[in-house]
């Protein structure tokens, strides 16, 4: 920004721009993240000898490949052929001397046939053949039919959420039920849309599960305030909580939605990041329910989202994702199609990564063994780090956290000394934000304060990913916490 | 869509979803395009022996690589190494036996160093090093300084327009001046935002240039209606018109904006698609103006957009783009940053294509010769086709079109016989839409009717790209038009 501009001179000012954009909050890339980037830049320049750390750990965002995680070879080999199809005519490639197995070549040919070029726009909804692969994946996962016509590829799952909320939010009184704590994409988008967030608290005492009582209470309150509640969002496995919901909880939510005529938005981007129990999709639970009680739940409208950014894929930068619509009126689906058309199409290489995520090498195919090995190693690494971090947190005074269940995060509660609360107040910060800034300044570890996700009044948390390699940084956290508690005792 | 769903059964209906989404119109991917896809699918299945054509020509959208255009080798070679960095360790790659020159390898290494992995999220605004390259490109192009801090990479130029309009449109009375005819991204986005489109007509008689008189008139009318006019959009070179504005016209617009305190949004995605004269950027014209009249135009706020989808790059599917802000208040820029953060970051491979577009191989570098040859051939091919189409239109009765100047489109006027107008009315269609449907049914050529872009009451047009190879399809158009005129004479 060129300096010297004062507000009176510009047409646009904080006071006259879109107040709903201004009201939006998105802490995952907020002030803490910006400060951590400044530290990182300083260290990269060889400066920062005065800093008490020599590396910055971005534990604020689930961005595996910015840290340790290597991409899965099959995906990237195919992608390289899609970018440079001339390689497909080269003998070294075809004979495998560059590491390209036959199934890599075949997949690249198949995907190219579908899109002609990854540099061409596809259909707005995504290439039909890729959507077919998604539908088949959903069928295998759930044991129920799925049609490519109901699958919409998206720009990460985030653009899918943005699309759905844009179409549903009709007026300022429209209410969307959102879990608290939540990934702030939901509240930020509702702010921008000038619609109402109807928050329902997750039950920390029950491993951050959904509480039907809390949902009902929140719904009743919203209705009494004149809110036209239209949808309920669930993030499963949870972000930031890491909770993995059992089938019974999912069915309860679906029954509640059916009774109260709510659209269900199921954010299932962490569906393969599950350490305890088994992932159950909302789609499967819905079909099960429909089978158990014929006729009773036929008309639930469900949108389920998935992404290439999480799981063992971790291809955040490729911005791949999809959502499946179940039970939506065709005319409403047509409006969704029109809305996404305005932005033309999701990135085509991202669409290809979606295709490969849902249709990876199969047992017996040449690339299978390496794929399986890489996939399993990433899963194991994530689990090990989750537990290492969990053990570290258990040792910290006033820090409490449940056993890791899923997703990429831990979300511990912190009980802060009174003096720390006072100091935070003095500095004009929420107490957990204050704590996280202190942590960043002392350790170089960037996390996100619980306030960024929402939490019960008077409780404090922070979210950390467990993606960073090594155990050094967890030791930094333990040491920082001791010093912090000492300072404010 | 599963059939049998009736409106009374679903929560969401056409009547209760977001009316602003419903009101949006985006004809480029509308009913005509959907019908052409159905024809294409039919032909692909080996059906469609009954159709009077054997190929579908998508002349409705500037999508070069879906048609004849090959990607530029340098871009794609680098991209393949970014996707599969293991190739960088392979001797066949390093020795050039796979066609990879030294500068390809160096560029891939440089870009990878900047982002770590193309599968990682970058900064929301785009990787800083890539933004540096953009700033240097702008400096070379205009001869005036540019800073990477003011450059925002985007998801194609479309998401940039979406971002800017989201931030500027504060209330239903906010007005944005939009040229008519226009690329419907503008009117569609303003519909979604429930803001007012303040249309100003381009001057068809003056090769679709801007008319200050028309702009003033439209502005005055809007003000008299209580519209809070905040910005003026210009598409240069024009879409759908193909017009390329002279420096004087651009300065007139800037002066008008300064006088009336309007933000200027310059959509310059066709900046390299210029056949007549030379492209002058709004940024350059602004800096020239500021030099000519010191102090008078210091505080204009200008946002200029560019894209990897057009030009000789044509990498639509990669969704690369950027915008540069000039004169924006830092607090407003911070809100723009926050807004784009909610969707995390533009696709990283698309960001890399932006970097290469603005920083292509230089003379003397190993890839230069091939790059230059490919680039020039694409330019020449586009120009030749534009003129071939222009010549064909000149032969058609009642069709008028100016000499091709730029962009990827021709936008002829059509004078239709009275009987055709009556028949269109009977079928409930605008006359040019009726004409375009007839054209599609008879020739397989998909265009967009003038109504999709806006036009003066009572005038009719259609937009066609000149991307499709060969001359056969232009002959199909000539024949169709003759038959059409015959039928409705």
């Amino acid at each position: 920004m060129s300096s010297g501009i004062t507000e009176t001179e510009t047409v646009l000012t904080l006071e006259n721009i879109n107040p709903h954009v201004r009201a939006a909050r998105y802490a995952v890339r907020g002030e803490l993240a910006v400060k951590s980037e400044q530290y990182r830049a300083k260290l990269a320049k060889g400066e920062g000898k005065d800093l008490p750390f020599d590396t910055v750990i971005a534990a604020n965002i689930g961005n595996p490949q910015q840290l340790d995680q290597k991409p899965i070879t099959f995906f990237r080999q195919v992608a390289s052929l899609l970018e440079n199809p001339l390689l497909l005519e080269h003998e070294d490639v075809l004979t495998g001397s560059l590491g390209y197995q036959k199934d890599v070549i075949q997949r690249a040919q198949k995907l190219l046939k579908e899109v002609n070029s990854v540099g061409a726009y596809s259909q707005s909804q995504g290439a039909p053949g890729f959507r077919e692969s998604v539908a088949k994946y959903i069928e295998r996962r759930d044991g129920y039919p799925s049609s490519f016509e109901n699958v919409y590829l998206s720009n990460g799952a985030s653009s899918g959420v943005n699309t759905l909320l844009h179409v549903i939010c009709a007026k300022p009184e429209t209410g969307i039920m959102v879990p608290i704590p939540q990934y702030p994409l939901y509240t930020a988008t509702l702010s921008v849309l000038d619609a109402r967030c109807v928050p329902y608290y997750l039950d920390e005492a029950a491993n951050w599960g959904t509480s039907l009582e809390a949902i009902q209470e929140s719904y009743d309150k919203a209705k009494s305030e004149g809110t036209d509640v239209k949808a309920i969002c669930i993030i499963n496995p949870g972000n930031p909580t890491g909770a993995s919901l059992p089938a019974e909880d999912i069915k309860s939510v679906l029954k509640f939605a059916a009774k109260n005529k709510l659209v269900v938005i199921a954010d299932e981007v962490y569906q393969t990041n599950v350490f305890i129990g088994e992932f159950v999709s909302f789609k499967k639970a819905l079909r099960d329910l429909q089978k158990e009680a014929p006729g009773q739940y036929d008309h639930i409208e469900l949108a389920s989202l998935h992404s290439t950014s999480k799981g063992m894929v971790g291809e955040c930068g490729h911005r791949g994702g999809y959502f499946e619509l179940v039970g939506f009126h065709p005319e409403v689906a047509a409006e969704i199609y029109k809305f996404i058309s305005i932005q033309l199409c999701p990135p085509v290489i991202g669409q290809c990564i979606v295709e490969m995520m849902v249709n990876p090498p199969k047992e017996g195919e040449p690339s299978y063994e390496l794929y399986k090995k890489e996939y399993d190693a990433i899963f194991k690494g994530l689990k090990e780090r989750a537990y290492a971090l969990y053990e570290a947190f258990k040792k910290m005074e006033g820090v409490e956290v449940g056993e890791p269940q899923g997703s990429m995060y831990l979300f511990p509660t912190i009980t802060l000394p009174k003096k720390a609360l006072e100091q935070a107040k003095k500095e004009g910060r929420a107490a957990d934000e204050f704590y996280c800034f202190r942590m960043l300044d002392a350790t170089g570890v960037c996390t996100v304060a619980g306030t960024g996700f929402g939490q019960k009044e008077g409780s404090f948390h922070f979210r950390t990913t467990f993606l960073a390699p090594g155990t050094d940084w967890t030791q930094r956290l333990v040491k920082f916490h001791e010093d912090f508690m000492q300072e404010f005792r």
Side-chain angles (χ1 to χ4, degrees), chain A:
Chain A
M1 266 315 101
S2 63
S3 58
I5 297 169
T6 63
E7 272 188 33
T8 48
E9 290 164 343
T10 55
V11 176
L12 301 178
T13 67
L14 266 195
E15 281 63 44
N16 71 14
I17 59 167
N18 187 340
H20 310 304
V21 168
R22 203 180 155 189
R25 294 283 166 268
Y26 187 72
V28 174
R29 295 196 159 201
E31 207 186 332
L32 261 163
V34 170
K35 194 173 188 189
S36 82
E37 280 300 324
Q38 287 160 353
Y39 281 143
R40 185 196 300 278
K42 203 171 166 180
L43 289 167
K45 279 186 206 151
E47 300 166 15
K49 299 273 177 282
D50 54 321
L51 296 176
F53 48 84
D54 54 7
T55 49
V56 168
I57 307 282
N60 58 313
I61 187 161
N63 192 7
Q65 294 186 25
Q66 191 61 37
L67 298 164
D68 191 36
Q69 193 171 307
K70 293 275 163 294
I72 287 179
T73 303
F74 178 79
F75 299 164
R76 294 302 201 86
Q77 284 184 329
V78 173
S80 68
L81 297 176
L82 298 174
E83 288 289 1
N84 186 8
L86 293 176
L87 289 178
L88 287 166
E89 294 161 21
H90 212 285
E91 204 166 336
D92 288 355
V93 173
L94 299 177
T95 57
S97 77
L98 281 164
Y100 290 91
Q101 305 271 11
K102 267 216 179 75
D103 54 346
V104 170
I105 290 159
Q106 285 161 354
R107 183 67 62 95
Q109 286 164 336
K110 189 185 136 193
L111 300 187
L112 272 179
K113 200 174 159 209
E114 178 71 26
V115 295
N116 199 30
S117 161
V118 293
Y121 294 127
S122 72
Q123 285 185 20
S124 306
Q125 198 177 339
F130 301 173
R131 291 188 277 123
E132 291 270 16
S133 295
V134 170
K136 278 183 198 145
Y137 162 76
I138 294 171
E139 288 183 359
R140 285 196 309 276
R141 185 193 66 190
D142 296 340
Y144 291 105
S146 169
S147 162
F148 82 102
E149 290 179 346
N150 302 328
V151 173
Y152 296 72
L153 301 193
S154 58
N155 201 324
S158 299
S159 81
V161 170
N162 184 60
T163 297
L164 294 164
L165 294 181
H166 256 87
V167 171
I168 298 172
C169 294
K171 50 182 194 277
E173 298 77 32
T174 301
I176 307 288
M177 301 195 74
V178 169
I180 297 294
Q182 50 102 38
Y183 176 57
L185 165 66
Y186 293 90
T187 41
T189 308
L190 291 173
S191 279
V192 170
L193 285 165
D194 189 25
R196 292 185 190 167
C197 171
V198 179
Y200 65 92
Y201 287 101
L202 298 173
D203 187 358
E204 183 163 13
N207 252 322
W208 293 111
T210 46
S211 150
L212 208 62
E213 208 183 319
I215 291 175
Q216 183 73 56
E217 202 178 300
S218 159
Y219 178 82
D220 293 342
K221 182 163 175 284
K223 291 297 271 189
S224 76
E225 290 164 355
T227 300
D228 182 15
V229 188
K230 271 275 178 285
I232 181 165
C233 302
I234 306 96
I235 310 174
N236 178 46
N239 177 1
T241 66
S244 177
L245 296 179
E248 285 320 302
D249 284 20
I250 295 172
K251 285 184 187 168
S252 299
V253 171
L254 287 168
K255 286 178 184 171
F256 180 85
K259 194 178 127 204
N260 297 290
K261 290 208 132 260
L262 300 179
V263 175
V264 179
I265 299 177
D267 177 338
E268 302 178 327
V269 300
Y270 297 100
Q271 60 189 261
T272 57
N273 297 99
V274 176
F275 305 137
I276 294 181
E278 203 175 65
F279 169 74
V280 178
S281 75
F282 267 76
K283 169 89 179 284
K284 180 180 186 317
L286 173 62
R287 294 303 189 216
D288 283 348
L289 209 56
Q290 289 170 338
K291 217 155 77 174
E292 289 162 23
Q296 260 187 280
Y297 302 104
D298 282 2
H299 305 307
I300 289 185
E301 285 146 84
L302 167 67
S304 318
L305 299 117
H306 195 16
S307 162
T308 58
S309 302
K310 311 300 169 188
M312 273 35 81
V313 183
E315 295 280 3
C316 308
H318 275 109
R319 314 304 298 118
Y322 75 79
F323 58 90
E324 183 193 24
L325 299 183
V326 175
F328 275 60
H329 195 287
E331 288 175 354
V332 173
E335 292 295 317
I336 290 174
Y337 178 86
K338 181 186 70 187
F339 181 79
I340 58 177
S341 291
I342 301 172
Q343 291 287 319
L344 298 166
C345 71
V348 175
I349 273 280
Q351 295 185 35
C352 295
I353 305 274
V354 170
E355 201 283 337
M356 293 188 273
M357 171 180 78
V358 299
N359 186 21
K362 289 182 194 57
E363 209 167 338
E365 292 174 352
S367 296
Y368 177 75
E369 210 169 312
L370 179 61
Y371 167 77
K372 180 87 170 66
K373 196 179 130 198
E374 291 174 337
Y375 189 96
D376 290 348
I378 295 169
F379 185 86
K380 187 163 164 276
L382 287 172
K383 193 169 175 179
E384 279 171 5
R385 287 180 206 161
Y387 276 85
L389 199 57
Y390 169 62
E391 292 301 329
F393 285 147
K394 281 209 293 192
K395 282 181 211 149
M396 296 184 194
E397 182 192 349
V399 173
E400 270 179 76
V401 66
E403 201 179 340
Q405 294 183 75
S407 86
M408 295 182 167
Y409 313 104
L410 292 182
F411 192 64
T413 308
I414 36 176
T415 308
L416 296 175
K418 208 170 145 232
K419 274 193 194 166
L421 303 185
E422 287 164 4
Q423 184 60 31
K425 211 173 173 183
K426 255 189 227 164
E427 299 187 12
R429 292 202 183 281
D432 45 15
E433 209 185 7
F434 169 72
Y435 177 86
C436 290
F437 268 102
R438 283 299 193 100
M439 182 197 291
L440 174 63
D441 293 339
T443 65
V445 178
C446 182
T447 57
V448 186
T451 40
F453 306 98
Q455 55 198 349
K456 277 197 176 151
E457 187 72 32
S459 77
F460 300 109
H461 301 79
F462 65 93
R463 185 189 82 166
T464 171
T465 69
F466 40 74
L467 298 168
T471 51
D472 155 64
W473 68 284
T474 54
Q475 291 319 307
R476 288 193 221 169
L477 294 187
V478 174
K479 169 84 168 54
F480 154 73
H481 187 74
E482 268 175 31
D483 295 348
F484 183 92
M485 296 304 271
Q486 197 64 41
E487 182 180 349
F488 294 103
R489 193 167 303 276

